[in-house]
Amino acid sequence: MDRTFVMVKPDGVQRGLVGEIISRFEAKGLKLAGAKLELLPEARVVEQYREHLQKPFFPGLKTYIMSGPCFLMVWEGKGAVAVVRRMIGSTNPAEAAPGSIRGDFALDIGRNVIHASDSPESAARELGIHFASGELVDYSKIDEPVLYE
Ligand code: IDP
Ligand code: MG
């Protein structure tokens, strides 16, 4: 099954949105394979956002992500990477569709509440940055037979 890496950013944790966000992914039918609350060390933030290292917003992004704990998750399901990207919405919350997480809970591109991997390759890479294999739980869920054809 496909896996994706998702992270509630410090603004989302501080605003008490972790439960709401987990509920949306659960209701969709995705399966939680791992989760933890963490203050991310600088090296992992740099690795996570390495494609943006030279961008003008990078210093502010790093400060933001390290400003408080993040809630890191791994979600599993059919097409999970693309499905979760659609559920989080566009990068700029002002343009994110209503009904998406960023569309419903954020206003500012610099405080957009949540991260999710943008491709299966990014998902594999980001999972490797943040989770050891022993932290991911392999189990079956009783709704699986009715969720999938
Ligand atoms: P994504 O999170 O939707 O994949 P990216 O373009 O990969 O968007 O950017 C990573 C993160 O960097 C964004 O989620 C946002 O937190 C931050 N970011 C991107 N563009 C800007 C900007 O123009 N100003 C401030 N922060 C930005
Ligand atoms: Mg991105």
Side-chain angles (χ1 to χ4, degrees):
M1 215 28 110
D2 307 303
R3 278 179 169 171
T4 192
F5 170 70
V6 183
M7 179 174 99
V8 182
K9 295 175 177 178
D11 52 334
V13 173
Q14 291 295 334
R15 291 174 56 204
L17 295 173
V18 170
E20 163 76 30
I21 288 168
I22 288 176
S23 292
R24 288 185 176 212
F25 295 136
E26 284 183 327
K28 182 69 172 170
L30 294 162
K31 180 168 90 176
L32 189 61
K36 56 184 175 178
L37 184 72
E38 256 192 314
L39 274 169
L40 293 189
E42 183 173 359
R44 275 163 58 200
V45 177
V46 168
E47 195 49 28
Q48 163 77 35
Y49 288 113
R50 66 175 184 188
E51 68 184 300
H52 299 307
L53 279 182
Q54 304 307 323
K55 307 264 174 73
F57 62 79
F58 184 76
L61 173 62
K62 194 174 80 176
T63 302
Y64 162 44
I65 298 300
M66 295 180 69
S67 67
C70 292
F71 192 75
L72 288 70
M73 297 166 278
V74 179
W75 287 95
E76 228 175 80
K78 188 175 181 181
V81 174
V83 163
V84 168
R85 279 295 282 199
R86 285 178 63 81
M87 290 177 73
I88 75 168
S90 304
T91 305
N92 184 352
E95 290 159 12
S100 69
I101 292 165
R102 287 163 168 171
D104 288 349
F105 300 118
L107 289 164
D108 189 332
I109 192 167
R111 295 290 183 272
N112 63 0
V113 169
I114 189 164
H115 166 87
S117 307
D118 63 7
S119 68
E121 296 69 35
S122 307
R125 192 182 79 82
E126 293 170 359
L127 269 166
I129 296 169
H130 297 292
F131 282 89
S133 56
E135 294 179 299
L136 300 182
V137 184
D138 195 11
Y139 64 107
S140 53
K141 222 160 145 276
I142 58 166
D143 58 6
E144 280 162 12
V146 292
L147 267 171
Y148 295 106
E149 183 179 6

